Amino acid sequence: MRKRLAPKGPTGLPVLSGLRLPGRGQKILVAVSGGLDSMVLLHTLKAMADERRWGLAVAHFNHHLRGRESDADEAFVRKVAAIIKLPFFAGGADVRQIVLMEKVSTEMGARRLRHEFLARTARQHRMSAIALAHHADDQVELFFLRLLRGAGGSGLGGMQWRSPSPMDSRISLVRPLLDLPRAALEEFAREHRIRYREDTTNRSMDYLRNRIRHELLPLLRRNYQAGLNRTILRSMEIASADSSLVADLAREWLECQGFLRQREKRRGAQPSFGNANFDELPEAIQRQVLKLQIIEFGFTPDFELIESIRLSPAKSVAVAPNDCLSRDSKGCVRRLRPSVPTFDRQTVTVELSEPGQSVFDGLKLNWRVGKPPKRFGRTRRAAGREFFDADSIGKEIVLRHWRAGDRFQPIGLPAAVKLQDLFTNAKVPREKRHQLIVAEARSGIFWVEGLRISEKFKVAAETRRILVWTWWRHGD
């Protein structure tokens, strides 16, 4: 079980008997939002700073998500820092705009930006630790968040009271309140008359964490387990310990094989699996072996990525636009940088006045022009065949590959958009995009291999002639 440290000094209320304390003499950046948790953390550390020789500073990140409320939070924290005579550092970003650009969730984007600011500030002012105000209720909510997202043992183990910053491993994140329930913090705030601000977004059901807090957890406590916090925290403790053991065994195996670039040589007994081949390792250790190596390359080791690499030796798995990872039969993960596809300028001009056929870069094309059947709406469509308004297209077209800046209006869309965006939304692999064929009339692109036909050139009630367009790849 975790060792619980009782604080000494003017904060010595029984309700904070589970407080965990950073080491003496540390320079600590205290992350303060202005809410209950962070204000209790700030006042507690400040009251104990002289006795423990801490050098404290206050940091506040403005997410600009709540307009004037966000600005009022910053002004409040700034004022408190001035009253208790601590240095104050503010940062901020338009989180909503950034998450739209990066196509990530608001919570994920806000967390990354906040941690970047905290790590940068701590580094600039030579502070070795960042104090965060997470508490036991946060742990329980995190357990269910990660459970619903399919996390493994290390994820279900939750936050640790001390861990490296995700933005700078040389800086420690410390969570002195992690073993304390929110009720204890509320009691402490009342006893010490600590003022704080309420974040209205904590009541919004738009966020999964809030739905877990206000809907799921009360339901479970009421109908299934009154002592839910106690049982979940115990399960997290067990999951964390089991995961740590598997990680240690995986690290020892990697060190024995010489696969880790940054190895911590240990003296002592031979690793339990030191002489085993990768395929002979238990699955749990295989996954940890790959996870540790993926982290070394700076990528996020989610389950799908780990399994793709684990189950397919020698197969390249894309992890970024120009990055792939692959493992060999021995379990060593390597980073590959595939050649960047280039735009092919090859073109072929085709006359549509007569039925014909053509082959362009492995794609066979047939076409003919004729009158639409009386019941065209019932004409059976088939794979590799489409119909267009022949008069809208004209007598001459160009076959070519996709080029930067190409725009296309698929049927059903109100306006043309960049082909690059359509490829991204359709999850077309980057390397394949440059292989796809485009058919272009004088007034625009009417067909892109693999996408819907063009709205601009579709067959309509007033169509007098149709172009029957058929294609297939060699080997199909």
Side-chain angles (χ1 to χ4, degrees), residues 130-312:
I130 299 169
L132 305 176
H134 297 116
H135 51 77
D137 290 51
D138 292 329
Q139 282 280 63
V140 174
E141 292 167 9
L142 181 62
F143 175 86
F144 284 98
L145 273 172
R146 291 182 173 175
L147 179 68
L148 294 174
R149 291 169 180 166
S154 60
L156 296 179
M159 297 173 283
Q160 303 301 308
W161 101 269
R162 180 185 291 272
S163 61
S165 163
M167 302 303 167
D168 190 335
S169 60
R170 298 167 298 179
I171 299 171
S172 296
L173 301 182
V174 294
R175 301 176 175 89
L177 309 179
L178 195 57
D179 287 341
L180 300 172
R182 179 180 172 87
L185 307 187
E186 292 172 340
E187 182 179 342
F188 184 85
R190 283 195 301 271
E191 292 287 341
H192 286 256
R193 299 181 180 178
I194 295 174
R195 294 177 58 225
Y196 57 88
R197 288 179 56 82
E198 290 284 358
D199 185 343
T200 56
T201 61
N202 287 336
R203 297 190 294 272
S204 171
M205 293 302 170
D206 293 338
Y207 300 102
L208 178 58
R209 179 183 284 273
N210 288 348
R211 295 198 296 276
I212 289 173
R213 178 184 302 163
H214 298 300
E215 295 177 345
L216 178 61
L217 296 183
L219 173 68
L220 293 176
R221 292 187 182 105
R222 184 173 61 250
N223 295 341
Y224 297 94
Q225 174 56 272
L228 185 69
N229 277 31
R230 182 182 67 259
T231 57
I232 293 300
L233 291 172
R234 183 175 61 206
S235 296
M236 295 179 79
E237 188 86 30
I238 294 169
S240 179
D242 290 351
S243 176
S244 295
L245 173 61
V246 173
D248 285 344
L249 292 172
R251 189 173 290 106
E252 287 177 351
W253 185 86
L254 283 165
E255 291 171 359
C256 186
Q257 305 300 317
F259 290 167
L260 282 182
R261 296 194 303 275
Q262 298 175 354
R263 291 178 290 168
E264 296 178 6
K265 289 292 187 182
R266 294 182 177 87
R267 297 178 181 178
Q270 178 73 11
S272 305
F273 299 97
N275 295 321
N277 296 324
F278 180 81
D279 292 336
E280 297 172 337
L281 296 173
E283 288 184 7
I285 297 179
Q286 286 183 2
R287 292 186 178 112
Q288 282 292 332
V289 161
L290 299 178
K291 177 180 178 179
L292 291 170
Q293 294 180 83
I294 293 169
I295 290 173
E296 275 213 327
F297 286 115
F299 298 111
T300 302
D302 59 46
F303 180 79
E304 286 76 16
L305 174 59
I306 292 172
E307 288 299 272
S308 296
I309 296 173
R310 186 176 75 86
L311 299 176
S312 303

